[in-house]
Amino acid sequence: MAMDPQLVDFFQETDADLAILTNGDHGHQYAKLSTLGVFDYFHPSHVFTSGKIGFAKPDPRAFTEVMDTLNENAMDWYYIGDSYGNDMEGAKNVGMKTIHFNRHHGPEGEAADYVVYSEKQLIELLKELSA
């Protein structure tokens, strides 16, 4: 299992700050992310699991904990997620801008500022937003 080559290229080229928030047991999630090669592009201190921080998405405290730890303002960040309920609604509730990566064509709604359906569309949107 590996990351999509298009995303790998994007992460190698971007100078944007990156972080991950994922629900699940800390050890299990870290092992899964390590297998995917995520730590080649995301610093371990910028990877947050609900098992470690004590709050799970969509609880606003999960998103707030990440922003507080990184000393960042939620309104300055785009949250990219594939679950409308957990990701889009949760991130929007703390003031983040949201990108719904809806590759499985699940439920959509107004909490998503943008909706994309493929890695290619996601990368194109991220490049457009950072221009």
Side-chain angles (χ1 to χ4, degrees), residues 18-72:
L18 303 170
I20 292 176
L21 171 61
T22 184
N23 284 350
D25 172 75
H26 181 72
H28 176 76
Q29 293 300 90
Y30 256 65
K32 190 162 65 170
L33 294 170
S34 181
T35 299
L36 289 170
V38 165
F39 296 110
D40 293 341
Y41 311 101
F42 289 79
H43 192 276
S45 67
H46 288 158
V47 175
F48 300 84
T49 64
S50 62
K52 186 162 186 171
I53 64 175
F55 306 107
K57 302 178 293 181
D59 187 327
R61 294 174 294 182
F63 300 89
T64 301
E65 179 69 22
V66 171
M67 292 291 94
D68 289 349
T69 300
L70 297 177
N71 196 28
E72 293 283 346

